[in-house]
Amino acid sequence: MLELYDVVELREAMPAEQLPAGAVGTVVHIFSDPSTAYEVEFADADGRTVAMVTLRADQVIHRDG
């Protein structure tokens, strides 16, 4: 299970959010009901948020470091 502020990578592209597969984001909220899901923030190189997406665990890969 992921924890708050874990760094994750998208397994699949999300064209509606303009996020490619492999995009890196940070877990900023964890939902547990009705099932586990993660609010993930994706930012540009300047640190500006470009997308906030709620994702299932199978849509992301935990990244070390």
Side-chain angles (χ1 to χ4, degrees), residues 4-56:
L4 212 53
Y5 308 117
D6 277 353
V7 176
V8 297
E9 181 178 321
L10 275 179
R11 288 181 179 265
E12 57 197 49
M14 301 192 79
E17 300 293 336
Q18 298 181 339
L19 294 170
V24 176
T26 303
V27 175
V28 294
H29 189 78
I30 301 171
F31 301 97
S32 58
D33 190 33
S35 60
T36 302
Y38 304 97
E39 186 79 10
V40 179
E41 178 181 21
F42 295 88
D44 65 15
D46 294 320
R48 291 183 295 243
T49 300
V50 295
M52 285 275 258
V53 190
T54 302
L55 301 167
R56 299 180 315 269

